[in-house]
Amino acid sequence: MKKLLLSPRYRALWPYLLLAGALLLLAVFAPWLTPQDPYVQDLSISLQPPGGDHLLGTDRYGRDLLSRVIAGSQTTLCASLLLLVFIAVVGSVIGIFCGYRGGWADTFLMRLSDVFLAFPEMVFAIAVAGVLGGGLIQAALALALIGWPKYARLARGLVLTIRTAPYMEAARMAGCSTLTILWQHVTPNVAGPILVTAALNVGTIIMELAGLSFLGLGAMPPTAEWGAMMNNGRSMLQTAPWIILGPGVAIFVSVAIFNLLGDKLRDVLDVRRK
């Protein structure tokens, strides 16, 4: 295993894993890494440009923007990753069940997924989040509702390709239970493509969650969240552009890192690559 991970093929993956890990560590330890309290207001230093004690400046309420960007990483990244794990697991379980068992449940769930896939993701998420009311949890529920069919379809298609494979028939003839077959033979064949799809989808989830917050349907003030911070500074784009610069760059860097990680992970796990 050690030689495999240090092989040239896997070695190219490590820089992106380290960058993604650094982002996650920043999010986890954000409360201890902020130079100042991200929620303390001081109107005497409102809209202060970058420099001095405030490297990224202050917002209209005099809050330190660097501290809020760091604190916002915990809200945005942790919420996005937890949402992605939930969507991937639920969607994959539904897809594996439908692909392996078939029948009326397969027909019903796949037609239901067709209904969700018929709508543009962000438009549907805005509508659902608007009905549920503003809030980070409501925004996450809206994205989860529209996100699971992608993984269900992928997992179902993978299961259909291996359901009649010789080793699957051999496992059934050997008397293996359904749970054993699903765990030992189906899940390993499905996990790779699902993992790659999830890695490529992290950036999309981050942008969608930040987008809902930007529209006022996600995190509510005074919560430090990158999309909400950009919404707070959009009216002062010409007079105080540094307000949206910090969270905007944070979103760009995070999405870029996870997209690059997903691309490299796809190259590494692609069985057709020589």
Short mmCIF file of all heavy atoms in Angstrom, two decimals, residues 189-243:
data_model
loop_
_atom_site.label_atom_id
_atom_site.label_comp_id
_atom_site.label_asym_id
_atom_site.label_seq_id
_atom_site.Cartn_x
_atom_site.Cartn_y
_atom_site.Cartn_z
N ASN A 189 -17.06 -1.69 -6.48
CA ASN A 189 -17.11 -1.31 -7.88
C ASN A 189 -17.81 0.02 -8.11
O ASN A 189 -17.60 0.65 -9.15
CB ASN A 189 -17.82 -2.40 -8.70
CG ASN A 189 -17.00 -3.66 -8.84
OD1 ASN A 189 -16.09 -3.72 -9.65
ND2 ASN A 189 -17.29 -4.65 -8.02
N VAL A 190 -18.62 0.43 -7.16
CA VAL A 190 -19.36 1.69 -7.29
C VAL A 190 -18.62 2.85 -6.63
O VAL A 190 -18.77 4.00 -7.03
CB VAL A 190 -20.77 1.52 -6.68
CG1 VAL A 190 -21.53 2.84 -6.64
CG2 VAL A 190 -21.56 0.49 -7.47
N ALA A 191 -17.80 2.54 -5.62
CA ALA A 191 -17.20 3.58 -4.79
C ALA A 191 -16.30 4.52 -5.58
O ALA A 191 -16.31 5.74 -5.37
CB ALA A 191 -16.42 2.95 -3.64
N GLY A 192 -15.49 3.98 -6.50
CA GLY A 192 -14.55 4.81 -7.25
C GLY A 192 -15.22 5.92 -8.05
O GLY A 192 -14.93 7.10 -7.86
N PRO A 193 -16.13 5.59 -8.97
CA PRO A 193 -16.82 6.64 -9.74
C PRO A 193 -17.62 7.60 -8.86
O PRO A 193 -17.68 8.80 -9.15
CB PRO A 193 -17.74 5.84 -10.67
CG PRO A 193 -17.07 4.51 -10.81
CD PRO A 193 -16.44 4.24 -9.49
N ILE A 194 -18.22 7.09 -7.79
CA ILE A 194 -18.96 7.96 -6.89
C ILE A 194 -18.01 8.94 -6.21
O ILE A 194 -18.32 10.15 -6.08
CB ILE A 194 -19.73 7.14 -5.83
CG1 ILE A 194 -20.85 6.33 -6.49
CG2 ILE A 194 -20.30 8.05 -4.75
CD1 ILE A 194 -21.95 7.16 -7.09
N LEU A 195 -16.86 8.47 -5.78
CA LEU A 195 -15.87 9.34 -5.12
C LEU A 195 -15.38 10.42 -6.07
O LEU A 195 -15.25 11.59 -5.67
CB LEU A 195 -14.70 8.50 -4.62
CG LEU A 195 -13.58 9.24 -3.88
CD1 LEU A 195 -14.13 9.93 -2.64
CD2 LEU A 195 -12.46 8.28 -3.50
N VAL A 196 -15.10 10.06 -7.31
CA VAL A 196 -14.65 11.04 -8.28
C VAL A 196 -15.74 12.08 -8.55
O VAL A 196 -15.47 13.29 -8.60
CB VAL A 196 -14.24 10.34 -9.59
CG1 VAL A 196 -13.94 11.37 -10.68
CG2 VAL A 196 -13.02 9.46 -9.35
N THR A 197 -16.96 11.62 -8.72
CA THR A 197 -18.07 12.55 -8.96
C THR A 197 -18.26 13.49 -7.78
O THR A 197 -18.50 14.69 -7.97
CB THR A 197 -19.37 11.76 -9.22
OG1 THR A 197 -19.18 10.88 -10.33
CG2 THR A 197 -20.53 12.69 -9.51
N ALA A 198 -18.14 12.95 -6.57
CA ALA A 198 -18.29 13.79 -5.38
C ALA A 198 -17.18 14.83 -5.30
O ALA A 198 -17.42 15.99 -4.97
CB ALA A 198 -18.30 12.92 -4.12
N ALA A 199 -15.94 14.42 -5.60
CA ALA A 199 -14.83 15.37 -5.55
C ALA A 199 -15.01 16.49 -6.57
O ALA A 199 -14.71 17.66 -6.29
CB ALA A 199 -13.51 14.63 -5.80
N LEU A 200 -15.52 16.15 -7.75
CA LEU A 200 -15.76 17.17 -8.77
C LEU A 200 -16.95 18.04 -8.42
O LEU A 200 -17.07 19.16 -8.94
CB LEU A 200 -15.99 16.50 -10.13
CG LEU A 200 -14.77 15.84 -10.78
CD1 LEU A 200 -15.18 15.01 -11.98
CD2 LEU A 200 -13.76 16.90 -11.19
N ASN A 201 -17.83 17.53 -7.56
CA ASN A 201 -19.06 18.26 -7.21
C ASN A 201 -18.89 19.18 -6.02
O ASN A 201 -19.79 19.96 -5.70
CB ASN A 201 -20.18 17.25 -6.94
CG ASN A 201 -21.55 17.88 -7.07
OD1 ASN A 201 -21.76 18.80 -7.85
ND2 ASN A 201 -22.51 17.38 -6.32
N VAL A 202 -17.75 19.10 -5.32
CA VAL A 202 -17.54 19.94 -4.14
C VAL A 202 -17.62 21.42 -4.51
O VAL A 202 -18.28 22.22 -3.86
CB VAL A 202 -16.19 19.63 -3.47
CG1 VAL A 202 -15.93 20.60 -2.33
CG2 VAL A 202 -16.17 18.22 -2.94
N GLY A 203 -16.92 21.80 -5.58
CA GLY A 203 -16.92 23.19 -6.00
C GLY A 203 -18.31 23.69 -6.35
O GLY A 203 -18.68 24.82 -6.02
N THR A 204 -19.10 22.83 -7.01
CA THR A 204 -20.47 23.21 -7.36
C THR A 204 -21.31 23.46 -6.12
O THR A 204 -22.07 24.43 -6.04
CB THR A 204 -21.11 22.13 -8.23
OG1 THR A 204 -20.32 21.92 -9.40
CG2 THR A 204 -22.52 22.53 -8.65
N ILE A 205 -21.18 22.57 -5.14
CA ILE A 205 -21.94 22.72 -3.90
C ILE A 205 -21.54 24.01 -3.18
O ILE A 205 -22.39 24.74 -2.65
CB ILE A 205 -21.73 21.50 -2.98
CG1 ILE A 205 -22.31 20.24 -3.62
CG2 ILE A 205 -22.35 21.73 -1.61
CD1 ILE A 205 -23.81 20.24 -3.72
N ILE A 206 -20.24 24.29 -3.14
CA ILE A 206 -19.77 25.52 -2.48
C ILE A 206 -20.39 26.74 -3.14
O ILE A 206 -20.89 27.66 -2.47
CB ILE A 206 -18.24 25.59 -2.51
CG1 ILE A 206 -17.63 24.52 -1.62
CG2 ILE A 206 -17.75 26.97 -2.06
CD1 ILE A 206 -16.12 24.43 -1.71
N MET A 207 -20.37 26.78 -4.49
CA MET A 207 -20.91 27.94 -5.20
C MET A 207 -22.42 28.03 -5.04
O MET A 207 -22.97 29.14 -4.90
CB MET A 207 -20.53 27.85 -6.67
CG MET A 207 -19.06 28.12 -6.94
SD MET A 207 -18.68 28.34 -8.69
CE MET A 207 -19.12 26.71 -9.32
N GLU A 208 -23.11 26.90 -5.06
CA GLU A 208 -24.56 26.94 -4.92
C GLU A 208 -24.98 27.39 -3.53
O GLU A 208 -25.92 28.19 -3.38
CB GLU A 208 -25.15 25.56 -5.23
CG GLU A 208 -25.07 25.19 -6.71
CD GLU A 208 -25.60 23.81 -6.98
OE1 GLU A 208 -25.72 23.01 -6.02
OE2 GLU A 208 -25.88 23.50 -8.16
N LEU A 209 -24.30 26.88 -2.51
CA LEU A 209 -24.63 27.28 -1.14
C LEU A 209 -24.31 28.76 -0.92
O LEU A 209 -25.10 29.49 -0.30
CB LEU A 209 -23.86 26.41 -0.15
CG LEU A 209 -24.37 26.39 1.29
CD1 LEU A 209 -25.81 25.88 1.34
CD2 LEU A 209 -23.48 25.51 2.15
N ALA A 210 -23.15 29.20 -1.43
CA ALA A 210 -22.81 30.62 -1.33
C ALA A 210 -23.77 31.47 -2.15
O ALA A 210 -24.11 32.60 -1.75
CB ALA A 210 -21.37 30.84 -1.79
N GLY A 211 -24.21 30.94 -3.30
CA GLY A 211 -25.15 31.68 -4.12
C GLY A 211 -26.49 31.89 -3.44
O GLY A 211 -27.09 32.98 -3.51
N LEU A 212 -26.99 30.86 -2.75
CA LEU A 212 -28.24 31.01 -2.02
C LEU A 212 -28.08 32.02 -0.87
O LEU A 212 -29.00 32.80 -0.60
CB LEU A 212 -28.69 29.66 -1.47
CG LEU A 212 -29.18 28.64 -2.51
CD1 LEU A 212 -29.50 27.31 -1.85
CD2 LEU A 212 -30.40 29.17 -3.25
N SER A 213 -26.93 32.00 -0.21
CA SER A 213 -26.69 32.98 0.84
C SER A 213 -26.59 34.39 0.26
O SER A 213 -27.04 35.36 0.86
CB SER A 213 -25.41 32.63 1.61
OG SER A 213 -25.54 31.40 2.27
N PHE A 214 -25.98 34.51 -0.91
CA PHE A 214 -25.88 35.80 -1.57
C PHE A 214 -27.25 36.37 -1.90
O PHE A 214 -27.47 37.59 -1.85
CB PHE A 214 -25.04 35.66 -2.85
CG PHE A 214 -24.86 36.93 -3.62
CD1 PHE A 214 -23.89 37.85 -3.25
CD2 PHE A 214 -25.67 37.23 -4.70
CE1 PHE A 214 -23.73 39.04 -3.95
CE2 PHE A 214 -25.52 38.40 -5.41
CZ PHE A 214 -24.54 39.31 -5.04
N LEU A 215 -28.18 35.48 -2.23
CA LEU A 215 -29.54 35.91 -2.56
C LEU A 215 -30.41 36.11 -1.32
O LEU A 215 -31.58 36.45 -1.44
CB LEU A 215 -30.19 34.88 -3.48
CG LEU A 215 -29.55 34.71 -4.87
CD1 LEU A 215 -30.21 33.57 -5.62
CD2 LEU A 215 -29.67 36.00 -5.67
N GLY A 216 -29.85 35.87 -0.14
CA GLY A 216 -30.61 36.04 1.09
C GLY A 216 -31.41 34.83 1.49
O GLY A 216 -32.28 34.92 2.36
N LEU A 217 -31.13 33.66 0.87
CA LEU A 217 -31.88 32.45 1.17
C LEU A 217 -31.04 31.42 1.93
O LEU A 217 -31.51 30.31 2.17
CB LEU A 217 -32.39 31.81 -0.14
CG LEU A 217 -33.36 32.66 -0.95
CD1 LEU A 217 -33.65 31.99 -2.30
CD2 LEU A 217 -34.65 32.90 -0.19
N GLY A 218 -29.81 31.80 2.29
CA GLY A 218 -28.95 30.89 3.02
C GLY A 218 -28.66 31.38 4.41
O GLY A 218 -29.57 31.66 5.19
N ALA A 219 -27.38 31.49 4.74
CA ALA A 219 -26.98 31.94 6.07
C ALA A 219 -27.50 33.35 6.34
O ALA A 219 -27.43 34.23 5.49
CB ALA A 219 -25.45 31.91 6.20
N MET A 220 -28.03 33.52 7.53
CA MET A 220 -28.60 34.81 7.91
C MET A 220 -27.61 35.63 8.72
O MET A 220 -26.78 35.07 9.45
CB MET A 220 -29.88 34.58 8.74
CG MET A 220 -31.02 33.93 7.99
SD MET A 220 -31.82 35.04 6.80
CE MET A 220 -31.12 34.43 5.25
N PRO A 221 -27.65 36.97 8.60
CA PRO A 221 -26.78 37.84 9.42
C PRO A 221 -27.01 37.58 10.90
O PRO A 221 -28.14 37.27 11.30
CB PRO A 221 -27.21 39.24 9.01
CG PRO A 221 -27.86 39.08 7.67
CD PRO A 221 -28.51 37.74 7.70
N PRO A 222 -25.97 37.68 11.72
CA PRO A 222 -24.60 38.11 11.39
C PRO A 222 -23.65 36.96 11.11
O PRO A 222 -22.44 37.12 11.24
CB PRO A 222 -24.19 38.84 12.66
CG PRO A 222 -24.85 38.04 13.76
CD PRO A 222 -26.16 37.55 13.19
N THR A 223 -24.18 35.76 10.73
CA THR A 223 -23.32 34.61 10.51
C THR A 223 -22.27 34.91 9.45
O THR A 223 -22.58 35.45 8.39
CB THR A 223 -24.16 33.40 10.07
OG1 THR A 223 -25.17 33.14 11.05
CG2 THR A 223 -23.30 32.18 9.89
N ALA A 224 -21.03 34.56 9.73
CA ALA A 224 -19.95 34.75 8.77
C ALA A 224 -20.01 33.62 7.73
O ALA A 224 -19.72 32.47 8.04
CB ALA A 224 -18.60 34.75 9.48
N GLU A 225 -20.42 33.96 6.53
CA GLU A 225 -20.51 33.01 5.43
C GLU A 225 -20.14 33.75 4.16
O GLU A 225 -20.56 34.90 3.96
CB GLU A 225 -21.93 32.43 5.34
CG GLU A 225 -22.04 31.15 4.52
CD GLU A 225 -22.16 31.41 3.03
OE1 GLU A 225 -22.60 32.53 2.68
OE2 GLU A 225 -21.82 30.53 2.23
N TRP A 226 -19.35 33.13 3.29
CA TRP A 226 -18.77 33.85 2.18
C TRP A 226 -19.82 34.48 1.26
O TRP A 226 -19.67 35.63 0.84
CB TRP A 226 -17.87 32.91 1.39
CG TRP A 226 -16.64 32.52 2.16
CD1 TRP A 226 -16.11 33.17 3.24
CD2 TRP A 226 -15.80 31.38 1.93
NE1 TRP A 226 -14.99 32.51 3.70
CE2 TRP A 226 -14.77 31.42 2.91
CE3 TRP A 226 -15.80 30.35 1.00
CZ2 TRP A 226 -13.78 30.45 2.97
CZ3 TRP A 226 -14.81 29.38 1.05
CH2 TRP A 226 -13.81 29.44 2.02
N GLY A 227 -20.86 33.75 0.92
CA GLY A 227 -21.90 34.30 0.05
C GLY A 227 -22.64 35.46 0.70
O GLY A 227 -22.91 36.48 0.06
N ALA A 228 -22.96 35.31 1.98
CA ALA A 228 -23.64 36.39 2.70
C ALA A 228 -22.75 37.61 2.84
O ALA A 228 -23.22 38.75 2.79
CB ALA A 228 -24.08 35.89 4.07
N MET A 229 -21.44 37.41 3.00
CA MET A 229 -20.51 38.53 3.09
C MET A 229 -20.45 39.30 1.78
O MET A 229 -20.38 40.54 1.77
CB MET A 229 -19.12 38.01 3.48
CG MET A 229 -19.03 37.48 4.90
SD MET A 229 -17.46 36.63 5.23
CE MET A 229 -16.32 38.00 5.02
N MET A 230 -20.47 38.59 0.66
CA MET A 230 -20.49 39.27 -0.63
C MET A 230 -21.79 40.03 -0.84
O MET A 230 -21.79 41.13 -1.40
CB MET A 230 -20.28 38.25 -1.75
CG MET A 230 -18.91 37.59 -1.75
SD MET A 230 -18.61 36.55 -3.18
CE MET A 230 -18.51 37.79 -4.48
N ASN A 231 -22.87 39.48 -0.37
CA ASN A 231 -24.15 40.18 -0.46
C ASN A 231 -24.13 41.45 0.39
O ASN A 231 -24.69 42.49 0.00
CB ASN A 231 -25.28 39.26 0.00
CG ASN A 231 -26.63 39.94 -0.08
OD1 ASN A 231 -26.96 40.63 -1.03
ND2 ASN A 231 -27.44 39.74 0.95
N ASN A 232 -23.46 41.38 1.54
CA ASN A 232 -23.38 42.53 2.42
C ASN A 232 -22.58 43.68 1.80
O ASN A 232 -22.84 44.85 2.08
CB ASN A 232 -22.73 42.12 3.75
CG ASN A 232 -22.67 43.25 4.74
OD1 ASN A 232 -23.65 43.96 4.98
ND2 ASN A 232 -21.50 43.46 5.33
N GLY A 233 -21.62 43.35 0.91
CA GLY A 233 -20.78 44.40 0.34
C GLY A 233 -21.08 44.76 -1.10
O GLY A 233 -20.42 45.63 -1.67
N ARG A 234 -22.08 44.13 -1.70
CA ARG A 234 -22.34 44.39 -3.12
C ARG A 234 -22.81 45.81 -3.40
O ARG A 234 -22.55 46.37 -4.46
CB ARG A 234 -23.36 43.40 -3.66
CG ARG A 234 -24.74 43.49 -3.06
CD ARG A 234 -25.63 42.35 -3.54
NE ARG A 234 -26.93 42.37 -2.91
CZ ARG A 234 -27.99 43.02 -3.40
NH1 ARG A 234 -27.89 43.70 -4.53
NH2 ARG A 234 -29.14 43.00 -2.75
N SER A 235 -23.49 46.43 -2.44
CA SER A 235 -23.96 47.80 -2.65
C SER A 235 -22.83 48.82 -2.55
O SER A 235 -23.01 49.98 -2.94
CB SER A 235 -25.04 48.15 -1.62
OG SER A 235 -24.53 48.05 -0.29
N MET A 236 -21.67 48.40 -2.05
CA MET A 236 -20.52 49.30 -1.92
C MET A 236 -19.35 48.83 -2.77
O MET A 236 -18.19 49.02 -2.42
CB MET A 236 -20.11 49.38 -0.44
CG MET A 236 -21.15 50.01 0.45
SD MET A 236 -20.70 49.95 2.20
CE MET A 236 -20.94 48.20 2.51
N LEU A 237 -19.66 48.22 -3.91
CA LEU A 237 -18.62 47.67 -4.76
C LEU A 237 -17.67 48.75 -5.26
O LEU A 237 -16.46 48.52 -5.37
CB LEU A 237 -19.26 46.94 -5.95
CG LEU A 237 -18.31 46.29 -6.96
CD1 LEU A 237 -17.44 45.25 -6.27
CD2 LEU A 237 -19.09 45.66 -8.10
N GLN A 238 -18.20 49.94 -5.55
CA GLN A 238 -17.35 51.00 -6.09
C GLN A 238 -16.64 51.80 -5.00
O GLN A 238 -15.53 52.29 -5.21
CB GLN A 238 -18.19 51.96 -6.94
CG GLN A 238 -18.77 51.31 -8.20
CD GLN A 238 -19.58 52.28 -9.02
OE1 GLN A 238 -20.04 53.30 -8.52
NE2 GLN A 238 -19.73 51.97 -10.31
N THR A 239 -17.23 51.90 -3.84
CA THR A 239 -16.63 52.70 -2.77
C THR A 239 -15.75 51.88 -1.83
O THR A 239 -14.78 52.40 -1.27
CB THR A 239 -17.73 53.40 -1.95
OG1 THR A 239 -18.62 52.40 -1.41
CG2 THR A 239 -18.51 54.37 -2.83
N ALA A 240 -16.10 50.61 -1.63
CA ALA A 240 -15.33 49.74 -0.72
C ALA A 240 -15.25 48.34 -1.30
O ALA A 240 -15.85 47.39 -0.78
CB ALA A 240 -15.96 49.72 0.67
N PRO A 241 -14.51 48.16 -2.41
CA PRO A 241 -14.48 46.85 -3.08
C PRO A 241 -13.83 45.75 -2.26
O PRO A 241 -14.03 44.57 -2.54
CB PRO A 241 -13.67 47.15 -4.35
CG PRO A 241 -12.83 48.32 -4.01
CD PRO A 241 -13.66 49.16 -3.08
N TRP A 242 -13.04 46.11 -1.24
CA TRP A 242 -12.36 45.08 -0.45
C TRP A 242 -13.34 44.23 0.36
O TRP A 242 -12.97 43.15 0.82
CB TRP A 242 -11.33 45.73 0.48
CG TRP A 242 -11.90 46.73 1.44
CD1 TRP A 242 -12.47 46.49 2.66
CD2 TRP A 242 -11.99 48.15 1.25
NE1 TRP A 242 -12.90 47.66 3.24
CE2 TRP A 242 -12.60 48.70 2.40
CE3 TRP A 242 -11.59 49.01 0.22
CZ2 TRP A 242 -12.84 50.07 2.53
CZ3 TRP A 242 -11.82 50.37 0.37
CH2 TRP A 242 -12.43 50.88 1.51
N ILE A 243 -14.57 44.71 0.53
CA ILE A 243 -15.54 43.95 1.32
C ILE A 243 -15.88 42.62 0.63
O ILE A 243 -16.03 41.59 1.30
CB ILE A 243 -16.81 44.78 1.56
CG1 ILE A 243 -16.48 46.01 2.41
CG2 ILE A 243 -17.89 43.95 2.25
CD1 ILE A 243 -17.68 46.90 2.69
#
